[in-house]
């Protein structure tokens, strides 16, 4: 029970690497005081940092992927320990039997940037793996055991040492036995969805509604209520997304996305000003309404532009499957095309309406035949 509790003494999400390395995902492994941090992209490149805390210098640690099964045999391991002279040894070892001494050998996939550190009773293994298959769910094994001189010995065969295996979904961050890292990734996904839907979709739709529907007299005042509904909904959902961003920040000390964070704060402040500006909205015939309209339009368009920029920065940080980024690009292009079409059509409507109004204001007798016309009979009798 003490061993189980110690494995949860800290969480991977709150860990900051002294080397200033940043890993987007992590998982709190359920036993042996172990944590896995990683970056994964769709090309099969997997950057990992395996941390094993509370470990003495007289012991070895290992983390492995098993491409063929869920157990120890067949796993492709990264092994590290501190040698008698104080230097670190880190190498690859394919596991072929249960009684292995972790001999060095090539793995079934490429390994580069392999290194290890030992400090404060913690061993960290860093590596970049080139996974050739298309599977995004891995069978992982992690282990620790004693050293005899500089030679690894067989690990214990009971308790936590026979429970240290499971699966890992590289896309969702979900582990077969723990949800520590998956919770953070889930919050990232929620943050991304909420902000994309609110700032990136609802807000532009609300702006399009106000700009183009109000041209049509039959749409008054429906356009205003539809515009207000879209913008208030976008703000409410956006505040929820902003809140998840703050929570993610508090869970990730040492990890900063300065540009994304700064733009997010500016967006929230400007959007809040827009909401409160509704309370100070002058009536249509008020002398300050012209200036209020200028402010409202400038701030509104600034929020939309910053929103789109920040959403794409979010895509670069989260690195979801490309289809999601492409889908959002499709939405933005569709909204832009709709705006261009409506812009042309509403200008046509406005110009035609102004011409009609000018024609209606002209005097009826300009070319008439009555005595009041300039070229009428009255004019001719005057010349006689």
């Amino acid at each position: 029970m003490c061993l189980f509790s110690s494995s949860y003494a800290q969480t991977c999400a709150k860990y900051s690497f002294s080397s200033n390395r940043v890993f987007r995902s992590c998982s709190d492994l359920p036993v042996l005081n172990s944590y896995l941090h990683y970056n994964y992209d769709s090309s099969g490149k997997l950057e990992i940092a395996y941390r094993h805390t509370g470990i003495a210098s007289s012991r070895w640690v290992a983390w492995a992927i098993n491409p063929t099964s869920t157990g120890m045999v067949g796993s492709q391991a990264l092994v590290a320990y501190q040698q008698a002279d104080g230097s670190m040894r880190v190498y690859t070892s394919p596991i072929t039997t249960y009684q292995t001494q972790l001999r060095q050998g090539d793995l079934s996939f490429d390994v580069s940037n392999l290194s290890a550190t030992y400090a404060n009773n913690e061993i960290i293994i860093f590596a970049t793996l080139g996974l050739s298959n298309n599977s995004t769910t891995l069978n992982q094994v992690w282990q620790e055991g004693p050293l005899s001189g500089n030679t690894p010995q067989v690990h214990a065969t009971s308790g936590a040492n026979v429970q240290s295996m499971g699966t890992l979904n590289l896309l969702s961050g979900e582990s077969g036995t723990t949800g520590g890292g998956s919770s953070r990734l889930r919050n990232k996904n929620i943050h991304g969805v909420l902000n994309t839907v609110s700032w990136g979709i609802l807000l532009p739709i609300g702006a399009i509604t106000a700009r183009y529907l109000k041209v049509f007299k039959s749409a008054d005042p429906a356009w205003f209520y539809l515009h207000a509904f879209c913008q208030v909904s976008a703000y409410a959902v956006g505040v929820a997304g902003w809140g998840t961003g703050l929570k993610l920040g508090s869970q990730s000390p040492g990890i900063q996305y300065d540009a994304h964070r700064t733009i997010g704060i500016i967006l929230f402040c400007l959007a809040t000003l827009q909401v409160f500006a509704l309370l100070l909205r002058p009536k249509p015939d008020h002398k300050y309404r012209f200036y209020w309209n200028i402010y409202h339009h400038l701030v509104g368009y600034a929020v939309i532009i910053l929103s789109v920029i920040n959403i794409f920065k979010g895509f670069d940080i989260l690195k979801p499957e490309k289809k999601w980024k492409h889908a959002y690009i499709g939405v933005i292009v569709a909204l832009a095309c709709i705006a261009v079409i409506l812009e042309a059509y509403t200008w046509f409507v406005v110009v035609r309406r102004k011409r009609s109004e000018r024609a209606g204001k002209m005097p009826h007798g300009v070319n008439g035949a009555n005595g009041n016309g300039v070229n009428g009979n009255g004019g001719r009798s005057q010349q006689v």
Side-chain angles (χ1 to χ4, degrees):
M1 187 66 184
C2 292
L3 180 62
F4 181 84
S5 299
S6 64
S7 69
Y8 284 91
Q10 56 176 296
T11 63
C12 62
K14 295 183 178 180
Y15 187 85
S16 180
F17 288 89
S18 59
S19 56
N20 205 30
R21 301 194 189 195
V22 176
F23 295 89
R24 293 185 297 272
S25 304
C26 69
S27 179
D28 299 331
L29 303 180
V31 293
L32 297 181
N33 302 325
S34 299
Y35 310 87
L36 182 69
H37 304 253
Y38 65 93
N39 295 323
Y40 175 74
D41 62 39
S42 56
S43 67
K45 179 182 176 182
L46 176 65
E47 296 177 285
I48 68 104
Y50 169 72
R51 295 171 45 229
H52 194 118
T53 63
I55 191 78
S57 61
S58 58
R59 301 185 72 81
W60 58 265
V61 303
W63 179 84
I65 293 175
N66 194 327
T68 57
S69 65
T70 58
M72 174 180 168
V73 175
S75 61
Q76 309 292 296
L78 309 176
V79 185
Y81 57 85
Q82 188 178 55
Q83 300 183 103
D85 62 2
S87 64
M88 291 298 296
R89 187 183 180 201
V90 57
Y91 61 95
T92 58
S93 176
I95 310 301
T96 56
T97 66
Y98 284 105
Q99 299 299 319
T100 181
Q101 289 189 331
L102 297 176
R103 290 185 174 87
Q104 185 170 348
D106 294 332
L107 304 187
S108 61
F109 46 80
D110 293 332
V111 179
S112 59
N113 302 321
L114 185 60
S115 64
T117 63
Y118 179 70
N120 300 319
N121 294 324
E122 177 181 71
I123 292 179
I124 306 177
I125 301 176
F126 297 99
T128 301
L129 313 180
L131 306 180
S132 57
N133 58 23
N134 295 322
S135 175
T136 56
T137 300
L138 303 179
N139 298 315
Q140 62 174 335
V141 183
W142 61 100
Q143 197 55 262
E144 60 91 20
L147 289 170
S148 176
N150 288 330
T151 304
Q153 302 298 301
V154 176
H155 63 78
T157 55
S158 62
N161 291 86
V162 294
Q163 301 170 10
S164 54
M165 64 184 71
T167 59
L168 176 68
N169 188 308
L170 295 173
L171 297 181
S172 68
E174 292 180 353
S175 169
T177 53
T178 184
S182 65
S183 173
R184 183 165 171 259
L185 185 62
R186 184 168 56 250
N187 286 339
K188 281 186 175 181
N189 290 333
I190 292 172
H191 172 72
V193 170
L194 290 177
N195 287 296
T196 300
V197 171
S198 58
W199 307 113
I201 297 177
L202 282 176
L203 213 62
I205 289 175
I208 289 172
T209 300
R211 178 164 178 79
Y212 301 114
L213 288 189
K214 68 180 179 181
V215 172
F216 304 97
K217 295 179 179 179
S218 60
D220 191 22
W223 71 264
F224 174 76
Y225 295 116
L226 185 58
H227 169 68
F229 173 77
C230 287
Q231 306 307 74
V232 171
S233 298
Y235 180 74
V237 177
V239 168
W242 192 68
T244 60
L246 294 178
K247 181 175 176 61
L248 285 168
S250 67
Q251 291 177 339
S252 312
I255 299 177
Q256 294 285 346
Y257 300 105
D258 293 331
H260 185 67
R261 178 175 178 269
T262 301
I263 294 174
I265 292 172
I266 293 172
L267 277 175
F268 176 76
C269 293
L270 291 178
T272 302
L273 281 176
Q274 284 286 72
V275 171
F276 282 106
L278 290 175
L279 303 176
L280 302 174
R281 180 171 174 257
K283 292 183 178 180
D285 57 350
H286 195 281
K287 63 179 181 179
Y288 292 125
R289 180 59 180 264
F290 173 75
Y291 303 103
W292 186 92
N293 285 340
I294 293 176
Y295 152 80
H296 186 64
H297 292 158
L298 289 177
V299 173
Y301 290 132
V303 168
I304 291 174
I305 292 170
L306 288 174
S307 297
V308 174
I309 292 172
N310 217 28
I311 286 168
F312 280 106
K313 286 190 175 294
F315 278 124
D316 292 338
I317 293 169
L318 190 56
K319 295 190 183 298
E321 293 183 56
K322 291 183 178 179
K323 64 181 181 181
W324 299 113
K325 186 174 183 178
H326 292 162
Y328 181 66
I329 291 173
V331 170
I332 291 299
V333 170
L335 290 175
C337 291
I338 291 171
V340 169
I341 293 170
L342 289 176
E343 184 75 22
Y345 181 70
T346 50
W347 270 107
F348 169 75
V349 170
V350 170
V351 170
R352 188 176 64 175
R353 184 182 296 163
K354 287 183 177 180
R355 286 178 179 175
S356 177
E357 290 174 353
R358 283 200 300 267
K361 292 179 179 179
M362 292 178 66
H364 294 290
V366 171
N367 293 309
N370 54 42
N372 297 323
V374 172
N375 296 317
N377 293 330
R380 285 196 297 270
S381 62
Q382 233 175 10
Q383 294 173 356
V384 175

